Amino acid sequence: MLGELSGIAKIYIVTGFTDMRKSIDGLMAIIKYNYQLDPYSNSLFLFCGRRSDRIKALHFDKDGFVLYYKRLDGGRFQWPRSSSEMRSITRQEFRWLMEGLSLDQPKAIKPVTALHRDL
């Protein structure tokens, strides 16, 4: 698992492929200019390369950026490849991703939205 993430407000993933040669500045540029989000926010941003066996995660930690890097010795991450977009995920989906599972678990109970509670 990637470090202590209990204080992080939101977790985002960039679907599709990211050039894993990018460093902190390159990943910040993707967040800021491609998706108009604030890289200094209390969020974790996840990126995955073409091989799907490594990810990078970027987080601003009060006084500077932390760049996490995880490479699997065997297996691949079940990374959404539909298109290059930024998507917010829950902590449970983050755990599934880190455990090698798909974000879209067919038997998982989905959170109830306000719209459905009124029915």
Side-chain angles (χ1 to χ4, degrees), residues 15-102:
T15 62
F17 305 106
T18 301
D19 182 354
M20 295 306 280
R21 296 173 293 179
K22 292 192 182 297
S23 63
I24 291 172
D25 294 330
L27 297 175
M28 280 177 56
I30 291 172
I31 295 164
K32 188 173 183 178
Y33 299 115
N34 292 11
Y35 301 106
Q36 291 74 45
L37 290 173
D38 181 13
Y40 292 92
S41 66
N42 187 20
S43 300
L44 181 71
F45 300 94
L46 302 169
F47 304 87
C48 187
R50 188 168 298 276
R51 293 155 94 191
S52 300
D53 67 342
R54 56 198 76 194
I55 62 168
K56 283 187 176 181
L58 186 65
H59 171 63
F60 185 75
D61 187 22
K62 298 178 185 148
D63 60 354
F65 281 94
V66 178
L67 181 65
Y68 298 99
Y69 183 81
K70 182 170 183 171
R71 185 186 74 192
L72 298 175
D73 282 338
R76 299 190 183 283
F77 290 105
Q78 298 296 315
W79 201 263
R81 300 293 187 184
S82 57
S83 64
S84 190
E85 63 183 11
M86 184 153 304
R87 168 178 160 185
S88 178
I89 62 172
T90 66
R91 289 185 186 280
Q92 179 63 51
E93 290 171 325
F94 175 73
R95 281 190 290 277
W96 289 336
L97 186 64
M98 293 296 107
E99 292 170 0
L101 301 172
S102 171

